[in-house]
Amino acid sequence: MLTLLSAMYLVVRTASTQAEPIRVLVTGAAGQIAYSLLYSIAKGDVFGKDQPIILVLLDITPMLPVLDGVVMELQDCALPLLREVIPTDKVEVGFKDLDAAILVGSMPRKEGMERKDLLKANVAIFKTQGEALEKFAKKTVKVLVVGNPANTNCLIASKSAPSIPKENFSCLTRLDHNRARSQVAMRVGVPSDSVKNVIIWGNHSSTQYPDVHHAVVNRNGKEISGFDAVNDESWLKGDFISTVQQRGAAVIKARKLSSAMSAAKAICDHMRDIWFGTPDSVPHKALLGGPAQTDLYRAGANAGMAEFQEKQRQQHESSMHTELEKLLSSSKPSDLESSRKDFEGFKKLFHRFLQEKGPSVDWAKIQRPPEDSIQPYDKIKLKGLPADVASSLNKLVVVKLNGGLGTSMGCKGPKSLISVRNENTFLDLTVQQIEHLNKTYKTDVPLVLMNSFNTDEDTKKILQKYTHHQVKIHTFNQSRYPRINKESLLPVATNMSITGENEEAWYPPGHGDIYASFYNSGLLDKLIAEGKEYIFVSNIDNLGATVDLHILNHLMSQPTDKRCEFVMEVTDKTRADVKGGTLTQYDGKLRLLEIAQVPKAHVDEFKSVTKFKIFNTNNLWISLPAIKRLHEKNAMDMEIIVNPKTLDGGLNVIQLETAVGAAMKSFENALGINVPRSRFLPVKTTSDLLLVMSNLYSLREGSLTMSPRREFPTTPHVKLGSSFTKVRDFLRRFESIPDLLELDHLTVSGDVTFGKQLTLKGTVIIIANHGDRIDIPAGAMLENKIVSGNLRILDH
């Protein structure tokens, strides 16, 4: 009787002191990783040998019959710690009161699937699961994300569960860690638990970097460094790294299935350490015993990170090279050579992009340019012109940057073919200007157009109409570069086509490409052979960028050994130009400073009109022999502009570009000339178009000149609303262009139309609120007026 009572007491006592069950969720529970994982969790390998468990198995509805089989097997194992198994396809059941969540399930990448599609699918999955954690789970829940891309999915889940501490979320890299430990252990001939402190830098991908700089190996009871134990640096930096990086692919190749067993073991190791904490595997005496050891540790960490970054850079370059070769294999035979040249330039730019981090300038080294490095135009003009202007003009080539489309103004095709004045296009006006020079001075100044793959075909068709004009016209194409997926850093193009699914996959890489593409075209050498010495480069939409004989004479009149190789026309900055590039002195050279290069803390200072008083017009005069010399020596130094874009489908990409003016520091005796504002008359918007179409300017031989009847030399500030953005809408809303001779400021917003023969003076503001329409009647004169509502005219 006493024995029976004692036994009953023991049973009651044991039951009362055993821990309460914890709820552990595994998603993707019908998959092969979960199949290898669930037994280990249920028998106590993860949460302890005395911790009862309620297993919650979540999967999609079609997998519920498979889950039933998994439940049966778990029951048949007769595991003493397993209190209950709950199979479900409902998040409100699966995530309720969780203590731990192991998120194995994710959308696998299938054949033909774009990475953006994979990311899109997993965003939806892990956003839903994060929200379910937030709503149903305990705030102390420990979350391990296994489904790839694990780091991205973990971030999404964490962001979607804001009240759960961020440190409760982690993603799986333990599999790679275990693989690295095992490789070292096998190489040295010790058990894997004798290898400690191996690090995996990066995420679970082929670009990860397994690092043994801090590894310690216990051999025969003595701890030695991983490097000394292996004693084979070439293996550690070669086969060891590649084996760990490619291990998953090797397993799949061998067994035709992914590495489920080792993944399950890694999940158990990871979650156990998260649950109980990691043992102190770093020997204090060796690393933390004093300043010297601490410095050694930091030095090792820095070396490891540097090597990781270098390996990662090499991997990105190798992957990019492979993808570019695939693209070239789809090229037409006639285009192969030019495409390969383009890609060589792109690879150089990509290489620099991977190496250069942070702002490209040290703000403390920026100085004001020396007094004589930026000459006032009036001083240049005082020299007058020589008797033989023709000899200078015959050494000149006019180059127009013609790569842009008119899409921002609602037009199709090249922007240069938009009518801007009296039915004349930008290209018409340019040809007229140069033809006038050639006829007046009996010279042979050629026009060169740098087209892009977007503008080349349409432009060449139009050029036929200038056959009988007195101007030789040449064209060359700037390079065609692939847009880069922001996440993978690989091209988004699938072949060399520029139509269909690849329509948005390519871009012209900025006007800094002029040097390489001009050289590669063969046109540079041809013009030098014809005796040409300088090019005058400008944007084709800058109607103020005409050939200036005084600047040309200044260049040609200098001694040959002191010849200025590069002139940048600058003009006084106004508040409308605060983002424009400016000239500075940097490391003893005159240098163009663009806003993209400025550290964020100094952007406001850069925009200051008082500190940086001038900006670059992008009207440039450059020595042809100098371009040839610098290109052949690979000495053309231009900062990279990283231009982020979002494609129509939502994919984030980057474009690597350069600016033509950035090469200024590479040329000898570079000079800035502060020119009148009239030499900067770009037409970027319909607001600009209104000005150049008005009576503010007269047109003669292709050149626009400010009307002498305007009292002020500055142009009015015009801001037309979104109803005027497209040229078609702009022309529809003006029956004729108003008289703007005495206008200072015009703002128009909403549904507004203008009748014929209007006069606008002073400050005019016209605002049509939503649902209203304002029609300015023909013949009206508005001077310092605000017009709103139903055409109420108030004194301003």
Side-chain angles (χ1 to χ4, degrees):
M1 187 70 173
L2 282 174
T3 305
L4 179 59
L5 286 173
S6 299
M8 290 175 62
Y9 172 77
L10 181 62
V11 170
V12 171
R13 185 177 182 275
T14 302
S16 65
T17 57
Q18 195 171 44
E20 287 293 315
I22 59 171
R23 292 177 70 94
V24 178
L25 167 70
V26 176
T27 70
Q32 63 161 339
I33 291 178
Y35 190 74
S36 298
L37 170 67
L38 293 172
Y39 173 74
S40 296
I41 294 175
K43 78 182 182 73
D45 289 351
V46 178
F47 300 100
K49 298 298 183 181
D50 58 354
Q51 177 60 65
I53 288 174
I54 298 172
L55 266 180
V56 186
L57 310 182
L58 179 69
D59 215 314
I60 57 176
T61 306
M63 299 305 294
L64 287 180
V66 179
L67 271 188
D68 287 339
V70 174
V71 173
M72 292 178 206
E73 287 214 68
L74 284 168
Q75 291 169 343
D76 293 347
C77 288
L79 298 165
L81 294 175
L82 186 59
R83 292 290 183 264
E84 187 179 1
V85 184
I86 304 172
T88 183
D89 60 349
K90 296 178 174 57
V91 292
E92 62 269 25
V93 175
F95 287 85
K96 182 175 175 59
D97 296 333
L98 289 181
D99 295 282
I102 302 173
L103 308 183
V104 178
S106 65
M107 170 68 77
R109 189 169 185 174
K110 300 174 183 175
E111 187 175 355
M113 180 182 281
E114 295 270 347
R115 188 167 179 81
K116 65 179 180 180
D117 300 324
L118 178 67
L119 288 170
K120 186 177 179 181
N122 281 313
V123 164
I125 292 170
F126 286 89
K127 184 174 186 293
T128 299
Q129 294 185 355
E131 291 169 346
L133 286 165
E134 175 76 9
K135 187 173 182 180
F136 302 112
K138 294 177 181 177
K139 300 309 176 189
T140 55
V141 63
K142 305 293 186 185
V143 183
L144 169 57
V145 177
V146 178
N148 281 320
N151 54 335
T152 305
N153 294 340
C154 185
L155 176 65
I156 295 163
S158 172
K159 290 285 187 182
S160 303
S163 68
I164 298 174
K166 296 292 179 287
E167 59 268 24
N168 286 24
F169 288 84
S170 60
C171 56
L172 186 72
T173 317
R174 186 61 173 266
L175 175 55
D176 305 300
H177 172 81
N178 287 351
R179 287 167 171 166
R181 285 179 67 197
S182 173
Q183 288 297 312
V184 172
M186 288 189 295
R187 190 75 177 185
V188 176
V190 299
S192 60
D193 63 355
S194 295
V195 180
K196 301 177 181 178
N197 301 344
V198 173
I199 300 172
I200 300 295
W201 298 102
N203 61 356
H204 178 67
S205 71
S206 60
T207 60
Q208 65 176 264
Y209 177 59
D211 178 8
V212 295
H213 282 86
H214 316 293
V216 175
V217 174
N218 188 321
R219 190 162 61 183
N220 301 323
K222 182 181 179 181
E223 289 189 336
I224 58 176
S225 74
F227 259 86
D228 290 341
V230 173
N231 195 27
D232 188 343
E233 187 173 354
S234 63
W235 180 81
L236 284 171
K237 291 186 175 181
D239 289 348
F240 166 66
I241 293 172
S242 60
T243 297
V244 177
Q245 288 176 336
Q246 305 295 333
R247 190 66 161 186
V251 171
I252 291 173
K253 184 177 180 180
R255 67 184 296 261
K256 312 307 178 189
L257 291 169
S258 62
S259 44
M261 183 196 308
S262 54
K265 168 64 165 53
I267 293 167
C268 292
D269 293 344
H270 183 122
M271 182 54 85
R272 183 176 58 249
D273 288 346
I274 291 293
W275 193 260
F276 291 107
T278 54
D280 184 2
S281 60
V282 179
H284 286 258
K285 289 182 180 179
L287 292 177
L288 304 177
Q293 287 90 344
T294 303
D295 290 344
L296 181 64
Y297 178 82
R298 288 172 179 164
N302 290 336
M305 179 56 77
E307 189 169 352
F308 162 63
Q309 290 173 338
E310 175 61 19
K311 287 287 184 182
Q312 190 176 47
R313 184 191 65 74
Q314 291 175 3
Q315 182 68 48
H316 281 310
E317 289 202 68
S318 175
S319 299
M320 177 61 77
H321 175 78
T322 300
E323 292 301 313
L324 293 178
E325 288 300 314
K326 287 180 184 176
L327 290 173
L328 284 173
S329 68
S330 69
S331 181
K332 297 177 182 176
S334 57
D335 298 333
L336 183 59
E337 183 180 355
S338 61
S339 296
R340 190 171 289 282
K341 284 182 179 178
D342 287 352
F343 282 6
E344 288 304 313
F346 172 77
K347 284 194 283 189
K348 289 178 183 177
L349 204 58
F350 186 68
H351 173 82
R352 288 179 52 206
F353 163 71
L354 293 176
Q355 287 192 318
E356 298 172 12
K357 302 296 180 186
S360 59
V361 295
D362 178 354
W363 193 257
K365 293 167 67 175
I366 291 174
Q367 299 176 326
R368 292 180 185 274
E371 289 284 333
D372 61 348
S373 65
I374 301 178
Q375 296 282 330
Y377 177 77
D378 289 344
K379 182 178 178 181
I380 302 290
K381 193 174 181 179
L382 275 176
K383 293 182 179 179
L385 294 175
D388 188 12
V389 171
S391 64
S392 295
L393 279 173
N394 279 326
K395 295 176 181 178
L396 181 70
V397 178
V398 175
V399 179
K400 292 291 182 179
L401 305 175
N402 184 47
L405 296 170
T407 48
S408 63
M409 296 172 70
C411 298
K412 293 183 178 180
K415 187 177 182 181
S416 57
L417 305 185
I418 297 174
S419 294
V420 287
R421 180 72 186 233
N422 299 350
E423 302 300 319
N424 287 300
T425 67
F426 292 104
L427 186 54
D428 290 333
L429 297 178
T430 300
V431 172
Q432 290 170 25
Q433 292 166 20
I434 300 174
E435 185 177 43
H436 173 67
L437 275 177
N438 286 336
K439 286 182 176 179
T440 302
Y441 296 99
K442 297 181 173 56
T443 54
D444 182 23
V445 177
L447 169 63
V448 173
L449 300 173
M450 183 173 83
N451 299 334
S452 70
F453 65 91
N454 288 320
T455 63
D456 186 56
E457 186 176 347
D458 289 339
T459 299
K460 284 180 176 176
K461 289 177 182 176
I462 292 295
L463 290 181
Q464 296 175 18
K465 76 175 186 177
Y466 305 116
T467 304
H468 302 294
H469 286 67
Q470 194 173 325
V471 54
K472 293 177 183 174
I473 303 177
H474 307 279
T475 67
F476 70 94
N477 268 16
Q478 67 184 114
S479 302
R480 173 164 67 115
Y481 284 1
R483 281 175 167 152
I484 306 169
N485 183 310
K486 189 175 182 181
E487 187 204 356
S488 68
L489 295 185
L490 292 174
V492 299
T494 56
N495 56 56
M496 295 297 291
S497 170
I498 58 173
T499 59
E501 64 178 358
N502 286 308
E503 188 173 3
E504 293 186 295
W506 304 95
Y507 72 100
H511 40 59
D513 180 62
I514 186 173
Y515 304 109
S517 54
F518 198 9
Y519 181 93
N520 290 337
S521 71
L523 190 55
L524 177 69
D525 283 337
K526 180 178 186 294
L527 293 169
I528 291 175
E530 292 174 0
K532 306 300 182 183
E533 295 184 17
Y534 279 94
I535 54 172
F536 171 53
V537 182
S538 62
N539 297 324
I540 200 163
D541 63 7
N542 181 4
L543 297 180
T546 58
V547 173
D548 186 279
L549 297 178
H550 297 284
I551 296 176
L552 178 62
N553 178 56
H554 177 76
L555 289 169
M556 301 304 300
S557 62
Q558 295 170 328
T560 304
D561 59 337
K562 295 183 179 179
R563 185 67 63 86
C564 175
E565 293 183 342
F566 193 107
V567 164
M568 177 181 289
E569 294 186 32
V570 297
T571 194
D572 292 340
K573 183 189 283 189
T574 69
R575 296 198 180 278
D577 313 309
V578 293
K579 293 183 179 180
T582 193
L583 284 181
T584 64
Q585 180 84 351
Y586 194 92
D587 286 343
K589 290 275 192 175
L590 204 57
R591 175 169 174 164
L592 176 65
L593 178 66
E594 300 274 11
I595 193 169
Q597 301 166 248
V598 178
K600 289 183 179 179
H602 297 282
V603 168
D604 289 341
E605 189 179 349
F606 173 82
K607 291 180 178 180
S608 168
V609 178
T610 54
K611 180 167 183 176
F612 298 104
K613 299 180 179 181
I614 56 170
F615 77 98
N616 171 29
T617 65
N618 218 38
N619 301 345
L620 308 169
W621 305 73
I622 312 173
S623 162
L624 281 168
I627 294 174
K628 179 178 172 67
R629 181 189 77 240
L630 290 170
H631 181 80
E632 290 180 345
K633 290 183 177 181
N634 197 26
M636 201 75 73
D637 183 14
M638 293 175 284
E639 291 74 30
I640 298 174
I641 301 169
V642 181
N643 189 358
K645 298 277 186 181
T646 301
L647 303 186
D648 288 344
L651 181 67
N652 291 322
V653 299
I654 54 175
Q655 299 179 178
L656 304 180
E657 304 175 3
T658 54
V660 58
M664 183 179 198
K665 60 183 176 294
S666 302
F667 291 84
E668 296 297 325
N669 303 315
L671 179 70
I673 297 180
N674 194 341
V675 298
R677 183 79 183 196
S678 59
R679 290 191 59 74
F680 184 67
L681 190 60
V683 180
K684 304 293 184 185
T685 64
T686 52
S687 298
D688 301 326
L689 192 58
L690 177 65
L691 294 176
V692 300
M693 292 179 72
S694 75
N695 60 346
L696 285 167
Y697 295 97
S698 58
L699 176 64
R700 186 176 179 185
E701 283 88 29
S703 299
L704 293 180
T705 308
M706 180 74 75
S707 171
R709 293 188 295 149
R710 172 130 177 121
E711 293 184 10
F712 309 105
T714 57
T715 56
H717 182 72
V718 174
K719 187 175 181 181
L720 301 179
S722 57
S723 299
F724 293 79
T725 300
K726 296 180 178 179
V727 172
R728 179 181 65 253
D729 295 333
F730 165 84
L731 295 174
R732 180 174 58 82
R733 291 181 178 276
F734 284 97
E735 287 194 56
S736 68
I737 303 300
D739 179 338
L740 305 183
L741 281 173
E742 297 180 48
L743 179 69
D744 297 322
H745 179 104
L746 172 65
T747 294
V748 183
S749 178
D751 188 2
V752 179
T753 61
F754 294 82
K756 293 181 178 180
Q757 298 179 333
L758 302 179
T759 301
L760 306 179
K761 297 182 179 182
T763 297
V764 177
I765 301 172
I766 306 171
I767 307 293
N769 293 323
H770 181 70
D772 291 341
R773 173 171 172 160
I774 294 177
D775 297 316
I776 306 298
M781 194 277 285
L782 302 179
E783 181 175 6
N784 294 329
K785 299 294 181 184
I786 297 176
V787 180
S788 63
N790 294 314
L791 202 57
R792 291 180 297 114
I793 300 179
L794 310 172
D795 287 332
H796 176 63

